[in-house]
Amino acid sequence: MRKTRGTRTRSVAWSSMIACCGGVLAAAVWAPGAAVGVGLGTLAATSSHAEAQTSDAPDLVVFHDGRSVRGTILSESASQLRMRIVFRGIVSETTYDRGDVASITRGTSVDESADEKKAETKNVVRAEANRYGRGAGTPATAPTPDTTAQHGGGDGARVYVMELTGAFGKDISETPIRQALEDAKKLEADYIVVKMDNTWSDARGLDELDDDAAAFDEIFEAESMARIFYEEIPQQWEQTPKVVFWVKRAMGGAAFLPMCVEDIYFDEDGKMGGIGNLGELFSSGDEVVKEKQYSLRLNAAEGIALLGNHNPKLVEAMARREYVLWMRRVGSDVRLISNPALVEESDILLTDDGEGENKDTDEQIVRGQGNDVLTLTAGLAFDLGVSKETVSSLDDLLFELGIERQAEVLEGRSDKIMRLWRQRVKLAEKELEELWEEFNEAGGNGNDRANPNAIRISKAREMIKVLRRFEEAINPGQIGVPGIAQLELQIEQLKLANLADRN
């Protein structure tokens, strides 16, 4: 077996799919040709045409977010819909929220054409689009059957570009993303291109981090941001735009965010990773608690990957140093293998266990050649089907999307929104530092008439207001100030001290 990275190929197809039943991954290979949607805690495997079916005349359920699933409706109420579905021979029963359902067609023909299905609802378009871009022999630039109808009509496709730069969870945060998307909505964008290029540096923001550095625990920030794209956009937009991620650098928590969509493109120097410390997050403590926390984080990460129809095995290889993964090429197909007993001599090792002689050397890490955990480069991401193509400019990206001739790049406010947010966060951090200094200096200015405890209480309350306003972006510990819980405790202690002084 060779300890080498994969090389670039021009088309990648996957042979089969992991079935997801109640959130449990039940198979070992993956097929991006089948759409996967996640909504309100339910993972539902779907596919174009008739891959999910239970009889000669299955029921067709179409959801507001564009997913569709065929099967047998077992029961339904005002709040829930329970179905039995069969996917590649695996039978499962799944419950859906009735509020997510756009339409139900009972006893549909399994041979129903794509055009007939699209007539049920315009949102089925998104499920049909999954047939393009990754199948063997299918050009990555092939347009979806309804590109003109759904995105831009005959007047051209309206493209909104949002650049996410700076520190993830601070400069890249929920509030500016929502504001930029609201701007895109007002401009009636058909495509939203999210260019991801986060900084990857230490807490001081001074030294660049290597590929082996990791920040898996940023998963929760990523999960909140991902929800904006897969949940809030379909709910708030009359016509859902196509969201495309263009990865320059997505390291740490930023590596999760692009995975929530299927349409990912890499810059020539693109890189995605920096989450390989999941196993080290819980090195001590109660074993049961550790396992729960470990599973919570891994399930959250895999859930985001499923949203974009990406293989959860890749997420595990990116997150766990002990996880070993091989890639096998079968013609134009690529299979991922994690069971050593199934490995063949020609299989390519993507990640080893990082133990003993397998541990990456400093030179390998610096050169970006380590494989204790998986870091996706442009070529490898393409080989594995994560990236649809490598592009070096926005024009190249529009060409790959098949809209370069009719595209209108909108003059939005995204850059201004992101810049103002960064400025506000910096000012808030400075204000917190000053308030904390004033808190500590209270009573030491020689003014005996001033109540130092009252001053401290006032300063603490001001700090809490600032922290709550920027809670998503400011880590108090990184700037040397207490968090909200600590400040609230300080206030209670100061109140008790005041009462004691009066008595």
Side-chain angles (χ1 to χ4, degrees):
M1 291 173 285
R2 295 173 290 171
K3 184 175 176 178
T4 59
R5 293 288 192 182
T7 56
R8 183 178 176 80
T9 58
R10 295 302 299 177
S11 68
V12 175
W14 305 83
S15 59
S16 59
M17 178 179 183
I18 289 178
C20 184
C21 304
V24 179
L25 305 177
V29 287
W30 177 258
V36 176
V38 178
L40 300 176
T42 303
L43 299 176
T46 68
S47 68
S48 58
H49 296 298
E51 290 194 323
Q53 54 181 294
T54 59
S55 68
D56 290 338
D59 302 314
L60 171 66
V61 177
V62 177
F63 300 91
H64 289 297
D65 63 4
R67 294 176 292 135
S68 64
V69 63
R70 293 174 183 275
T72 301
I73 295 176
L74 301 175
S75 63
E76 55 184 304
S77 67
S79 60
Q80 291 186 325
L81 179 72
R82 187 161 185 81
M83 293 185 69
R84 180 185 295 117
I85 62 174
V86 179
F87 187 83
R88 299 197 184 280
I90 299 175
V91 181
S92 66
E93 293 185 7
T94 308
T95 301
Y96 304 101
D97 278 347
R98 193 60 184 264
D100 293 341
V101 176
S103 66
I104 299 173
T105 305
R106 303 178 191 277
T108 61
S109 168
V110 298
D111 294 326
E112 184 181 27
S113 69
D115 288 339
E116 289 171 330
K117 283 195 291 181
K118 287 197 287 275
E120 295 292 333
T121 172
K122 62 184 179 182
N123 284 328
V124 181
V125 167
R126 300 184 70 193
E128 289 297 305
N130 288 323
R131 298 166 51 204
Y132 292 87
R134 288 196 188 134
T138 303
T141 56
T144 56
D146 61 319
T147 297
T148 302
Q150 186 178 6
H151 298 295
D155 299 326
R158 300 167 65 82
V159 181
Y160 187 94
V161 180
M162 179 196 310
E163 291 198 30
L164 300 182
T165 60
F168 188 79
K170 181 179 179 180
D171 305 317
I172 301 172
S173 192
E174 295 173 59
T175 295
I177 289 175
R178 282 195 179 94
Q179 291 173 347
L181 289 174
E182 183 62 30
D183 185 43
K185 181 182 175 183
K186 290 177 181 177
L187 295 173
E188 299 181 340
D190 303 303
Y191 288 78
I192 296 173
V193 174
V194 183
K195 186 174 182 180
M196 174 64 74
D197 188 14
N198 73 306
T199 55
W200 185 231
S201 57
D202 60 19
R204 298 172 301 167
L206 300 176
D207 298 323
E208 186 82 5
L209 297 176
D210 293 322
D211 290 353
D212 68 329
F216 188 96
D217 231 19
E218 293 177 344
I219 175 62
F220 298 114
E221 288 93 334
E223 192 176 33
S224 296
M225 294 181 219
R227 189 173 291 111
I228 298 172
F229 291 99
Y230 76 81
E231 188 174 279
E232 294 182 16
I233 288 180
Q235 289 175 352
Q236 298 173 10
W237 290 57
E238 182 178 349
Q239 186 163 303
T240 304
K242 178 185 283 293
V243 178
V244 177
F245 269 81
W246 179 15
V247 175
K248 172 71 173 178
R249 179 161 50 182
M251 299 294 286
F256 299 113
L257 192 53
M259 300 286 260
C260 75
V261 304
E262 183 170 1
D263 294 283
I264 300 175
Y265 293 79
F266 266 58
D267 183 86
E268 291 178 338
D269 299 321
K271 187 175 289 188
M272 180 188 290
I275 54 173
N277 65 328
L278 177 59
E280 290 93 68
L281 289 176
F282 312 104
S283 56
S284 61
D286 182 84
E287 291 299 323
V288 174
V289 174
K290 287 195 298 183
E291 182 59 31
K292 287 182 178 179
Q293 291 296 322
Y294 179 93
S295 298
L296 172 69
R297 285 159 174 77
L298 184 58
N299 289 341
E302 291 181 340
I304 293 177
L306 286 167
L307 285 166
N309 198 29
H310 303 292
N311 192 336
K313 283 181 176 290
L314 294 174
V315 173
E316 199 159 0
M318 294 169 71
R320 295 175 50 201
R321 296 183 188 278
E322 69 275 16
Y323 190 76
V324 184
L325 189 64
W326 289 265
M327 177 175 71
R328 177 181 302 168
R329 290 194 177 95
V330 183
S332 58
D333 290 354
V334 170
R335 299 178 185 176
L336 297 179
I337 301 166
S338 58
N339 185 347
L342 302 178
V343 175
E344 298 177 356
E345 183 65 27
S346 60
D347 293 341
I348 297 172
L349 184 67
L350 295 174
T351 60
D352 58 30
D353 58 10
E355 296 292 334
E357 63 180 16
N358 289 334
K359 183 177 176 61
D360 292 341
T361 65
D362 291 341
E363 183 179 358
Q364 287 174 320
I365 292 170
V366 170
R367 292 177 177 271
Q369 297 173 343
N371 68 350
D372 290 350
V373 292
L374 184 64
T375 299
L376 296 178
T377 58
L380 186 56
F382 182 86
D383 287 348
L384 293 170
V386 176
S387 171
K388 288 195 170 183
E389 191 53 86
T390 301
V391 296
S392 58
S393 67
L394 180 60
D395 288 341
D396 288 346
L397 177 57
L398 299 180
F399 175 82
E400 295 298 336
L401 291 170
I403 60 171
E404 77 283 2
R405 292 184 179 179
Q406 74 270 27
E408 175 192 355
V409 179
L410 301 169
E411 293 292 333
R413 298 177 55 252
S414 174
D415 288 347
K416 183 177 181 180
I417 289 169
M418 299 299 169
R419 184 174 64 255
L420 289 176
W421 174 254
R422 289 192 293 270
Q423 292 173 353
R424 290 178 64 201
V425 171
K426 286 182 180 179
L427 289 173
E429 288 181 332
K430 184 177 180 181
E431 183 180 2
L432 286 168
E433 290 170 347
E434 292 174 350
L435 285 169
W436 181 236
E437 185 177 350
E438 292 168 2
F439 175 96
N440 289 311
E441 292 177 351
N445 56 7
N447 185 355
D448 294 334
R449 290 176 299 175
N451 182 338
N453 288 343
I455 294 174
R456 291 191 180 105
I457 289 172
S458 175
K459 299 301 179 183
R461 284 173 173 165
E462 288 183 61
M463 291 178 70
I464 289 173
K465 287 180 182 179
V466 176
L467 284 169
R468 283 186 172 146
R469 196 180 315 133
F470 293 94
E471 192 170 8
E472 67 187 86
I474 293 179
N475 183 336
Q478 288 184 353
I479 60 174
V481 303
I484 292 175
Q486 293 170 290
L487 288 168
E488 289 176 337
L489 180 60
Q490 290 261 22
I491 290 172
E492 293 305 313
Q493 291 173 341
L494 290 167
K495 286 180 178 179
L496 290 174
N498 274 343
L499 289 174
D501 290 343
R502 290 173 186 170
N503 294 331

